[in-house]
Amino acid sequence: VQLVESGGGLVQPGGSLRLSCAASGSIFRVNTMGWYRQAPGKQRELVASVTRGGIANYVDSVKGRFAISIDNGKITVYLQMNSLKPEDTAVYYCNAGLIPTMTMQVGNYWGQGTQVTVSS
């Protein structure tokens, strides 16, 4: 199982970015997918998560600015980030709780990370 992220980059304050994360491999079921971020010198934090059924959860600092969505058919999660602030600068990591067909046990999987930099 692999999670491949895309969509990071440099954006000015107030701008927007859309992150994508596609899961590949032989997957029986995805339970949840989400995004974490880690800024220099800080701990990794959960930004947003979404269940297979579409129930979303956000950290308070991004509520009203970020929107997470999932495409179960494509096994892809998206994070639309609007009104970006310099404090959103971090490496963003995709995360998935899913069941590979090979093991038939729930596992926690991570992407390689994508840099988001908000700066003028």
Side-chain angles (χ1 to χ4, degrees):
V1 174
Q2 280 190 316
L3 302 180
V4 179
E5 301 136 336
S6 61
L10 172 64
V11 64
Q12 291 187 341
S16 298
L17 282 175
R18 186 189 188 208
L19 304 182
S20 300
C21 171
S24 63
S26 185
I27 298 169
F28 175 71
R29 188 178 70 221
V30 173
N31 291 336
T32 63
M33 296 188 79
W35 292 92
Y36 286 70
R37 66 186 178 187
Q38 187 166 20
K42 294 188 176 181
Q43 289 189 332
R44 190 175 296 190
E45 67 169 351
L46 175 64
V47 177
S49 64
V50 61
T51 68
R52 177 181 179 84
I55 298 173
N57 180 53
Y58 299 92
V59 68
D60 285 346
S61 61
V62 308
K63 286 181 180 177
R65 300 189 297 122
F66 291 10
I68 191 169
S69 60
I70 189 169
D71 183 329
N72 289 313
K74 295 180 179 179
I75 318 180
T76 299
V77 64
Y78 305 95
L79 185 67
Q80 178 66 42
M81 304 185 294
N82 300 324
S83 302
L84 282 160
K85 304 176 180 180
E87 50 264 42
D88 294 317
T89 296
V91 177
Y92 284 69
Y93 296 92
C94 178
N95 174 266
L98 56 82
I99 302 173
T101 55
M102 185 172 293
T103 66
M104 292 304 287
Q105 294 186 6
V106 175
N108 196 33
Y109 295 83
W110 293 92
Q112 78 284 0
T114 185
Q115 177 70 45
V116 171
T117 302
V118 184
S119 175
S120 56

